[in-house]
Amino acid sequence: MFNVKDMESSYVGVPKKQTSRMEIKLKIGTKAVHRKITNSIYGVGRFLTETETPHIDAFFASGASSLKAKAVVPTDSAENWGSLLHGVLPHKHGLKNGDVDAGIPYDEKNPYPSIFKLLEAKSKDDNNNIKMASYVAWESINTGIIELSVKADLYAPLTHENFFMKWWLRFKHKMKNSIYDYSVVSRLCDYIHDSKNQDVKFIFVHLTDVDEYGHGYSYGSQTYLEQIKVMDSHVGTILKAIDEQGWNDDSLVIMTTDHGGIGTSHGGKSDVEVNVFLAVRGEGIEPNSKIEGEVCNMDCAALIVKALGMEIPEWFDAKLPIEFA
């Protein structure tokens, strides 16, 4: 059986010049890729290799993946989700945790718009109305990283749940027993199963509880690793919903994370903070393939726009992995 830990060990000692382009026949920009789903997991780094993750193992086995991917520096959340969703390095998009947490919206005139805004603009040029969604545990993604002008189906627990549920979620968070992801996964699966959403083109998904356990109990601790197992079950639930809805054959699904951590924090340049993963599955991607070239979590932006029929903007710092170029 495929195992992420075995995959990590197989990378050791592979000379870079042996990297070759795999036979990926991804039908980028055609009807074969009807929708793009990005499942982003907060604060996992590469710690998933240190515990049992059967659903993530199965996802890795179903497509192409890398355990050599890197986060952008500084390894903070706004900087990394900003780079993934805007396709540029942090000094260009300018996003910082304090600003987005304070409710400061992303500048609509910033020369580096989000991929949501890019896709919306292209759909208007094509006289189409694109359907997009962002289901996130950290509401600041929807209010401070994605432009407020973007028309998308948005969800975040502390924005959309009722008063009692919000109180309960905050209480559990304060007790270092974060359960935001249960709400996100439940609402997301309802969204996927709703027939009104069959034409959705792009869904961004964000789970946060693993990172909360890293801050509360230390990254790499046993309690933290146990929460990765819980997160793996959430991933299995999401992938099951995608399968039940018949979306597997015409969807490109990407899974990645924003950073790791050291002690109870992150933001620096250490290996355990910078080292992350990236995996992608879809029509034409050979199972059990490895992305051997250099890759960054920010590069998801290039994969997303290309898969949905757009040319990658010249100003993007995000690049297609060499295997997909």
Side-chain angles (χ1 to χ4, degrees):
M1 180 178 291
F2 181 93
N3 189 286
V4 169
K5 292 178 284 297
D6 295 336
M7 178 182 168
E8 182 181 45
S9 64
S10 72
Y11 279 119
V12 176
V14 177
K16 201 158 193 182
K17 60 178 156 184
Q18 289 184 9
T19 299
S20 59
R21 185 171 302 184
M22 62 181 133
E23 290 300 316
I24 294 180
K25 299 176 181 178
L26 178 62
K27 300 176 182 178
I28 292 178
T30 73
K31 293 182 179 179
V33 179
H34 180 74
R35 68 182 61 79
K36 169 69 195 62
I37 303 168
T38 300
N39 188 10
S40 302
I41 308 163
Y42 204 167
V44 175
R46 288 186 202 157
F47 288 104
L48 77 171
T49 64
E50 298 181 19
T51 190
E52 300 302 317
T53 53
H55 298 291
I56 294 176
D57 290 351
F59 183 84
F60 271 57
S62 69
S65 56
S66 172
L67 281 172
K68 300 189 294 184
K70 301 292 184 181
V72 301
V73 175
T75 51
D76 283 322
S77 302
E79 283 85 346
N80 275 267
W81 297 131
S83 290
L84 190 155
L85 288 172
H86 290 260
V88 295
L89 292 166
H91 71 275
K92 294 182 180 178
H93 61 62
L95 290 160
K96 297 179 180 179
N97 281 355
D99 292 340
V100 296
D101 274 333
I104 298 175
Y106 191 74
D107 185 356
E108 299 281 353
K109 297 181 180 179
N110 191 299
Y112 307 109
S114 72
I115 53 179
F116 279 90
K117 193 168 184 176
L118 288 174
L119 291 168
E120 186 176 69
K122 184 179 185 300
S123 73
K124 290 179 180 178
D125 290 342
D126 296 340
N127 294 317
N128 294 320
N129 290 318
I130 188 170
K131 189 175 183 65
M132 302 179 289
S134 177
Y135 273 59
V136 300
W138 186 34
E139 67 272 18
S140 297
I141 291 175
N142 288 345
T143 59
I145 296 179
I146 300 170
E147 295 89 348
L148 296 181
S149 66
V150 168
K151 300 296 187 294
D153 297 327
L154 305 177
Y155 170 83
L158 294 182
T159 304
H160 295 88
E161 294 297 338
N162 62 41
F163 174 83
F164 173 77
M165 180 57 71
K166 290 177 184 177
W167 177 89
W168 180 242
L169 290 168
R170 290 190 177 103
F171 173 76
K172 296 290 283 184
H173 173 76
K174 186 175 182 180
M175 299 302 293
K176 297 184 181 180
N177 186 18
S178 177
I179 56 170
Y180 294 114
D181 293 348
Y182 287 94
S183 296
V184 175
V185 174
S186 176
R187 298 298 188 184
L188 173 66
C189 289
D190 289 344
Y191 184 86
I192 292 172
H193 285 127
D194 191 331
S195 60
K196 298 193 298 292
N197 301 320
Q198 294 310 293
D199 289 331
V200 65
K201 296 295 184 182
F202 176 44
I203 305 176
F204 180 76
V205 183
H206 166 270
L207 304 180
T208 194
D209 290 343
V210 170
D211 189 64
E212 301 293 345
Y213 274 71
H215 286 298
Y217 300 97
S218 184
Y219 293 87
S221 68
Q222 190 55 45
T223 305
Y224 169 87
L225 295 177
E226 288 298 318
Q227 187 59 32
I228 288 181
K229 292 182 181 180
V230 175
M231 176 271 297
D232 180 71
S233 71
H234 289 322
V235 169
T237 300
I238 294 169
L239 295 176
K240 181 181 178 182
I242 292 171
D243 181 54
E244 289 173 342
Q245 206 58 27
W247 286 5
N248 277 338
D249 292 340
D250 62 355
S251 298
L252 187 72
V253 184
I254 295 176
M255 190 182 303
T256 192
T257 188
D258 56 343
H259 55 70
I262 184 168
T264 57
S265 64
H266 53 80
K269 301 179 181 179
S270 68
D271 286 346
V272 289
E273 294 169 282
V274 173
N275 291 342
V276 295
F277 68 91
L278 190 150
V280 55
R281 79 174 192 193
E283 177 69 23
I285 298 179
E286 184 180 350
N288 292 305
S289 299
K290 292 178 183 177
I291 301 172
E292 299 278 16
E294 292 184 0
V295 66
C296 173
N297 55 11
M298 174 180 65
D299 294 333
C300 292
L303 281 166
I304 293 165
V305 298
K306 189 68 174 178
L308 290 175
M310 284 187 62
E311 290 301 316
I312 298 172
E314 292 183 1
W315 46 264
F316 257 30
D317 294 315
K319 307 297 179 186
L320 285 178
I322 188 171
E323 291 84 0
F324 293 83

